[in-house]
Amino acid sequence: MNHSHGSNDHGAHGGHGAGSTPAPADSHATHGHASHEAESAAAPPEEPGYPEHPELKQGARAVDAARARAEGHAAHGEHAEHDRHAGHSVAMFRDKFWISLLLTLPTLVWGHMLQRAFGYTAPTFAGSRWIPAVFGTAVFLYGGRVFIQGAIGELRDRLPGMMTLIALAISVAFAFSAVVTLGFP
């Protein structure tokens, strides 16, 4: 069947413009449009969301409910500080990044991994063995605090997200480093 609709075909569909001629009774069948009408009449309209995975609709409803709660709190003057992104700015993250990077340098210089990898020995003095632990803890507490706080909020709302993922990663890394530093194999 030819489905091309040139300028002369539109009159056959019945009333597509001024001066069009009435369509013959079987015009939809000859142009293959009968199957389109049968499909649209037989299939109910799909509900927006996850038609292939109806079990995910419950999760989407929980997200909507949590957002509504957060918006409700932000609307109250005394609860405005509960906004999930309060105090999160690009400048704050940028500043935390650069300060954390500076605090990381002594950790890397006195840490054992780079010394082995590049074959150097960092200067030693009383307490130098604790430099990686002290500066690593400072990086975790200063740079990681915003992620830990964000994860607590996400878990409280039962909506774990990126803050939870980052908080989990840095907490596991910190705990492992602390355990190794304290002498556990």
Side-chain angles (χ1 to χ4, degrees), residues 80-93 96 146 149:
E81 68 274 3
H82 294 301
D83 180 20
R84 290 175 54 156
H85 296 288
H88 294 190
S89 68
V90 173
M92 184 265 313
F93 277 106
K96 283 190 176 286
V146 68
Q149 289 174 331

Side-chain angles (χ1 to χ4, degrees), residues 108-122:
L108 294 174
V109 170
W110 273 273
H112 64 85
M113 288 176 46
L114 289 184
Q115 290 185 48
R116 281 191 209 145
F118 294 118
Y120 74 92
T121 302

